[in-house]
Amino acid sequence: MVHGSEVITIERFIMEQERLHPEATGELSNLLYDLCLAAKIISRHVRRAGLTDILGAAGPVNVSGDLQQKLDLFANETVRHSVQHTGRVCVTASEEDQEPVPVPPGKPVGKYVVLYDPLDGSTNIDVNVSIGTIFSIHRRVTKKNGPGGLPDCLQVGRKQIAAGYILYGSSTMLVYTTGQGVHGFTLDPTIGEFLLSHADITTPPVGKYYSVNESNWNRWTPAAQRVVAAFKDGEGKIQPKNARYIGSLVADFHRNLISGGIFLYPADTKNPQGKLRLLYEAAPLAFVVEQAGGRASDGCRPILDLVPAGLHQKTPLVIGSKDDVAFAAKILAAEAAAGGSAPK
Ligand code: AFP
């Protein structure tokens, strides 16, 4: 938190980064501040979740088939309301909404697109386990006038301008990249400020953890089984690793980013396209991990090269330490090239 003898707030850090780009208009910086505000508001509610009656299923099932919880809905609206009327954004899209949400008529329209998963790992809310928010920012590709739309949302991950996540863990952290390294800030709740705690995060090339839902073993292809067996027992140069799985992607990802490790959610017979969403989960975390020196793959291609065909598209995901991802991707890609598929 203290950098040398300095305390650096996220506002100051973002401002100093902006100064490195004389051509910058400040709009992206302001959009990042907007997201910090949303993070603080959601964090406050998450911290009080067990004390209020906000817990519990709100009823409907979201477009990905998951039961929505009240805190998800709150987080969804908080992010949207924090960014939507500022004149910096033309459209938002969230895992919780069926369609993109353009800026309403009469409101100022900006050049950025915000895609987000408002509360990832929501099944962990009721049991007081870490959850997170993930965000991805693109520049609009449709004509400048009027609200944005679907084509602005369906962009390849490589074109992201910024991405990051907020982890509501033992403390609240915001980690982001604008393509110049990955920086982490810890919320000091006593002063309501995110303070620089992890400058220039780099992830080890080989990790000590593997994170996977091993109860899916019988639904995996032989290649996915071989990869996980190698991380468990060792194979060739791969040393056996320790297993860690929380079931909140942000929490599993963050631990592996800091300590080194690999997270896998391969395709299986229940989720033939994988379970995780390309635009709200895989692509933003892929941008972060690549900036930290790691890798992210769907088994065959880098996640950042996948061109989305739909807003809620899912993808297999292998993400983390670069040598570990390379090992897994080589085996998965060889099986795919040979026409392999998951057991029926
Ligand atoms: P929710 O946001 O719907 O709770 O989904 C959580 C998640 O997308 C991701 O955060 C986890 O890594 C993954 O699903 C866990 O999935 P399993 O329960 O199938 O292991």
Side-chain angles (χ1 to χ4, degrees):
M1 210 164 300
V2 177
H3 194 58
S5 57
E6 279 181 298
V7 176
I8 300 180
T9 63
I10 197 165
E11 278 80 5
R12 177 174 155 199
F13 188 88
I14 291 171
M15 202 187 304
E16 284 175 4
Q17 293 267 307
E18 188 192 311
R19 282 207 201 104
L20 302 174
H21 299 272
E23 74 289 356
T25 60
E27 271 178 76
L28 179 62
S29 299
N30 287 330
L31 181 51
L32 292 170
Y33 300 149
D34 298 337
L35 288 166
C36 289
L37 176 65
K40 289 183 207 172
I41 297 172
I42 298 168
S43 178
R44 187 189 61 194
H45 274 252
V46 168
R47 298 294 170 216
R48 295 174 59 218
L51 302 170
T52 65
D53 65 355
I54 204 164
L55 282 182
V61 169
N62 73 10
V63 287
S64 302
D66 308 322
L67 192 66
Q68 289 189 49
Q69 310 231 290
K70 281 181 185 168
L71 209 52
D72 291 36
L73 302 178
F74 175 81
N76 193 31
E77 306 226 316
T78 299
V79 174
R80 185 172 335 110
H81 292 157
S82 301
V83 302
Q84 206 185 27
H85 296 169
T86 57
R88 303 187 246 285
V89 163
C90 61
V91 63
T92 61
S94 147
E95 191 200 307
E96 299 297 336
D97 295 321
Q98 192 84 36
E99 304 290 340
V101 181
V103 168
K107 297 290 178 193
V109 174
K111 64 180 173 201
Y112 290 112
V113 178
V114 176
L115 309 171
Y116 62 102
D117 182 352
L119 218 51
D120 185 65
S122 49
T123 51
N124 279 327
I125 297 172
D126 277 344
V127 289
N128 207 356
V129 171
S130 299
I131 47 183
T133 298
I134 309 176
F135 62 89
S136 161
I137 301 176
H138 282 273
R139 201 167 269 129
R140 81 179 295 177
V141 290
T142 52
K143 281 202 204 114
K144 269 189 196 160
N145 298 328
L150 190 60
D152 297 307
C153 301
L154 298 184
Q155 297 192 52
V156 69
R158 278 283 160 225
K159 291 204 170 154
Q160 287 172 102
I161 302 295
Y165 58 87
I166 300 119
L167 171 63
Y168 312 100
S170 46
S171 48
T172 296
M173 273 196 78
L174 190 152
V175 176
Y176 84 96
T177 183
T178 54
Q180 275 146 344
V182 179
H183 311 288
F185 301 81
T186 302
L187 182 63
D188 182 337
T190 61
I191 56 170
E193 293 275 11
F194 280 106
L195 303 178
L196 182 63
S197 52
H198 298 66
D200 266 319
I201 297 171
T202 53
T203 197
V206 176
K208 53 182 174 186
Y209 298 120
Y210 74 99
S211 309
V212 69
N213 185 340
E214 228 168 311
S215 69
N216 292 327
W217 178 275
N218 291 330
R219 302 192 192 103
W220 289 337
T221 64
Q225 290 174 340
R226 178 179 155 197
V227 167
V228 174
F231 291 140
K232 194 196 321 223
D233 302 324
E235 181 189 316
K237 284 187 191 154
I238 299 291
Q239 295 292 314
K241 299 183 191 300
N242 209 348
R244 287 282 186 278
Y245 192 72
I246 295 171
S248 286
L249 178 61
V250 173
D252 280 311
F253 175 84
H254 181 73
R255 181 202 49 248
N256 292 350
L257 182 76
I258 302 295
S259 304
I262 181 166
F263 174 97
L264 307 100
Y265 212 113
D268 60 42
T269 49
K270 202 162 105 193
N271 302 288
Q273 312 304 324
K275 181 185 173 194
L276 301 175
R277 296 78 171 170
L278 175 59
L279 289 175
Y280 314 114
E281 295 174 308
L285 297 185
F287 189 20
V288 171
V289 88
E290 283 205 3
Q291 282 292 311
R295 294 284 180 277
S297 168
D298 71 347
C300 296
R301 290 151 299 175
I303 291 289
L304 291 182
D305 291 340
L306 301 180
V307 180
L311 204 51
H312 297 284
Q313 183 173 325
K314 295 181 176 185
T315 179
L317 178 64
V318 180
I319 189 165
S321 292
K322 87 175 163 46
D323 293 357
D324 296 328
V325 173
F327 170 81
K330 195 171 165 197
I331 293 170
L332 294 167
E335 180 183 68
S341 63
K344 300 280 180 261

